[in-house]
Every structure is written in structure tokens, then in C-alpha cells.
Amino acid sequence: FGDEALQGLMHFCLKLRYVALHACCITDAGLVACGGGQGSLYPLRPHPTLECLDLSAQPAPGLSDAGLSCLPLVVPTLLRLNLFAAQLGTAGWVALGQGLPLLTHLAVGGAKITDADLVLLANGGPGMKAGDAAPPT
């Protein structure tokens, strides 16, 4: 299961609520393509029902800011997100914090995260004060 299959799943399987893709071959390029970027097989259509997405333990190089920043475009209804072993930096945390306001569960075991990133995630991004459009944490 790889990037092209993920695009098909996100475009055609519109009643799914939970998708777990442990240790598949999902890459940043695949997530960018799902978001309508380079390599896209289909026009961008946000998934209307997906609530839980598990992208844990993708093989090297793994998932990083470049792909994960596209998640809000692809799955704006996301409530639960598992990203064990993802390589998120500040830009990725900000994108998730600002773009996934419904997010109630976030699992990031083994992910690179700093205290500053957690503050940005909780506050919705740089330049915002605590409580300004903050997503649930």
C-alpha cells in the first residue's frame, strides 16, 4: 500500500471513518499529492467523514513537515491522529494546530517535538495568544 493507493482511498472511499496504515509506504510526496499538490492523480476533495488516521511507523525517510502540513487540506474532520515515529518540525506542528481544530487525540510517540512546538500546537500557531482559536489538546 503506497502513495497512489492512499490517493485512491481518500478520493473514492468517502464513508470511511477510521484508517490505519501502519508501516505502509506512505511518503511526504503522497500526502502532498492527496492535498492537490505535485503528483496528484485526482483533484483535491477534502475527505468528508474521516475521523481517525493512523500513519505510524512509515519506512525511511518517514513522514515530515512537507507531507503532514497537507493533512488539514485532506482530512479537516480529523479527531484522532497517530504519528508514531514521524519527523515533524515546528512548521508541521503549527500546521496541525491551526488546520485541525477538531483534533482531540494526538499520539506522537518517538516523534521529534520540543516544548516550544507544544506551545505553538496548543495556541494555534505563532503570533497567537493562549486561547485564540486554540484546538482541543
Side-chain angles (χ1 to χ4, degrees), residues 10 13-20 47-54 74-82 100 102-106:
M10 292 298 177
C13 300
L14 301 179
K15 292 186 180 184
L16 289 174
R17 294 181 65 207
Y18 179 90
V19 173
H47 198 284
T49 60
L50 195 63
E51 295 176 357
C52 183
L53 181 61
D54 189 337
V74 180
V75 284
T77 56
L78 212 54
L79 300 175
R80 297 172 183 258
L81 178 61
N82 295 334
L100 296 174
L102 302 177
L103 196 66
T104 59
H105 294 80
L106 177 64

Side-chain angles (χ1 to χ4, degrees), residues 20-114:
L21 301 172
H22 298 273
C24 292
C25 295
I26 307 302
T27 67
D28 284 334
L31 291 176
V32 168
C34 283
Q38 183 176 355
S40 181
L41 300 174
Y42 311 102
L44 174 62
R45 177 172 60 191
H47 198 284
T49 60
L50 195 63
E51 295 176 357
C52 183
L53 181 61
D54 189 337
L55 293 172
S56 299
Q58 299 304 315
L63 298 173
S64 68
D65 290 353
L68 294 168
S69 294
C70 294
L71 281 179
L73 297 172
V74 180
V75 284
T77 56
L78 212 54
L79 300 175
R80 297 172 183 258
L81 178 61
N82 295 334
L83 295 173
F84 289 102
Q87 298 302 313
L88 279 168
T90 301
W93 294 116
V94 169
L96 295 180
Q98 289 177 335
L100 296 174
L102 302 177
L103 196 66
T104 59
H105 294 80
L106 177 64
V108 293
K112 177 183 166 189
I113 187 168
T114 66

